[in-house]
């Protein structure tokens, strides 16, 4: 697996109405699965939007550093505006015309071949999330960004959706996924980014971070890092003092 970054954030900040949601975030995204975890309101959705190019930083720089291909970045936001009267295959055929790739292959990849001709409006919530993962991966982009692909799903469907997302990663492909399911992050993630109040509280290979913090898994890492976060040292890819940010009700989904 290559260790060359496919995307980089340098001192990225993002504010909404004067409220800081991200502050001085620097990250390098490498092939494999990177799980972004953190409390509600920590800036996960905004971070993923910046990585995908859907959110413009207020300050700093976001740079795609991967190969020059027709579709460099695939993105699944929390809410995907699929047209409910389209079938699953028609939906992916639309994206395939823009990004390349085979819609039938994308449906098979996420296990929706049998639902190819069902209207999107008739799909279950779990099937719609799988369709969203298929949309984000059609055309085989080197960087896939998935914002809470398991949100609102039952345990079995959460596991299936996360496994499908992780399967999209490879030696030259990075999948960045935000999730509150720490067990699934522990099972599938190669690297972990812990956000807390708009700052990177920890970032790096999962096993190394767990060793450094004396914990056994990602759930323990979350408790160790977030419980002790605030003003202080930042471990992982960044290693510097960070000021504390203020959590403001009303931007908790960012």
């Amino acid at each position: 697996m290559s260790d060359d970054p496919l995307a980089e954030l340098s001192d990225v900040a993002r504010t909404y109405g004067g409220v800081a949601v991200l502050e001085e975030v620097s990250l390098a995204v490498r092939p494999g699965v990177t799980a972004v975890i953190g409390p509600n309101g920590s800036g996960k959705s905004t971070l993923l939007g910046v990585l995908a190019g859907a959110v413009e930083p207020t300050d700093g720089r976001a740079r795609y550093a991967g190969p020059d291909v027709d579709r460099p970045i695939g993105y699944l936001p929390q809410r995907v505006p699929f047209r409910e009267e389209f079938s699953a295959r028609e939906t992916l055929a639309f994206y395939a015309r823009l990004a390349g790739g085979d819609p039938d292959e994308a449906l098979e990849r996420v296990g929706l071949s049998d639902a190819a001709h069902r209207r999107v409006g008739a799909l279950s919530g779990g099937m719609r999330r799988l369709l969203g993962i298929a949309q984000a991966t059609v055309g085989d982009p080197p960087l896939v960004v998935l914002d809470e692909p398991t949100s609102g799903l039952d345990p079995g469907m959460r596991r299936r959706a996360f496994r499908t997302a992780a399967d999209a990663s490879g030696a030259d492909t990075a999948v960045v996924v935000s999730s509150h399911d720490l067990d699934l992050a522990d099972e599938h993630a190669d690297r972990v980014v812990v956000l807390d109040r708009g700052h990177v509280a920890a970032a790096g290979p999962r096993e190394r971070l767990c060793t450094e913090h004396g914990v056994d898994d990602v759930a323990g890492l979350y408790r160790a890092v977030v419980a002790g976060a605030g003003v202080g040292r930042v471990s992982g890819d960044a290693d510097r003092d960070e000021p504390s940010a203020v959590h403001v009700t009303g931007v908790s989904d960012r």
Side-chain angles (χ1 to χ4, degrees):
M1 182 176 293
S2 171
D3 201 43
D4 295 334
L6 291 170
E8 295 177 318
L9 302 184
S10 301
D11 294 322
V12 164
R14 174 68 196 193
T15 61
Y16 290 95
V19 176
V21 178
L22 293 177
E23 295 188 72
E24 298 183 0
V25 171
S26 294
L27 284 174
V29 177
R30 295 179 167 84
V33 178
T34 297
V36 180
I37 63 175
N40 288 334
S42 59
K44 297 187 298 297
S45 290
T46 299
L47 173 63
L48 268 63
V50 170
L51 273 174
V55 175
E56 189 71 21
T58 306
D59 200 3
R61 182 189 183 200
R63 183 178 76 93
Y64 169 74
D68 184 11
V69 294
D70 290 339
R71 190 188 193 191
I73 303 173
Y75 179 43
L76 173 65
Q78 284 194 23
R79 299 174 184 86
V80 185
F82 290 142
R83 297 189 64 169
E84 299 207 346
E85 66 272 20
F86 279 17
S87 71
R89 190 188 186 284
E90 287 171 335
T91 298
L92 290 188
F94 169 78
Y95 286 98
R97 283 195 295 271
L98 299 174
D102 183 344
D104 294 314
E105 181 181 307
L107 284 169
E108 183 179 359
R109 183 185 301 155
V110 299
L112 289 181
S113 294
D114 291 342
H117 299 293
R118 291 178 61 179
R119 290 191 311 108
V120 170
L123 298 178
S124 68
M127 295 172 78
R128 289 176 73 131
R129 294 309 280 174
L130 289 171
L131 183 63
I133 295 171
Q135 171 276 132
T137 57
V138 72
D140 296 320
L143 175 61
V144 178
V145 180
L146 306 172
D147 192 357
E148 291 286 356
T150 63
S151 177
L153 305 184
D154 63 57
M157 188 59 80
R158 281 203 307 270
R159 182 169 295 278
R160 179 182 174 188
F162 209 110
R163 184 174 61 248
T164 300
D167 286 346
S169 69
D172 300 308
T173 304
V175 173
V176 181
V177 53
S178 65
S179 180
H180 288 288
D181 196 319
L182 303 183
D183 289 339
L184 289 178
D186 188 66
E187 183 176 344
H188 294 287
D190 302 295
R191 293 179 175 83
V192 177
V193 175
V194 185
L195 283 184
D196 189 32
R197 293 172 290 180
H199 294 95
V200 176
R206 175 181 53 82
E207 292 184 1
R208 192 194 79 198
L209 290 179
C210 288
T211 299
E212 288 178 353
H213 290 274
V215 298
D216 296 326
D217 52 27
V218 171
L221 176 67
Y222 179 91
R223 289 190 295 269
V225 172
V226 173
V231 178
R233 302 295 294 175
V234 177
S235 67
D237 291 347
D239 187 22
R240 61 182 181 276
D241 290 326
E242 297 279 10
S244 176
V246 179
H247 173 72
V248 178
T249 303
V251 296
S252 61
D253 59 345
R254 293 171 174 163

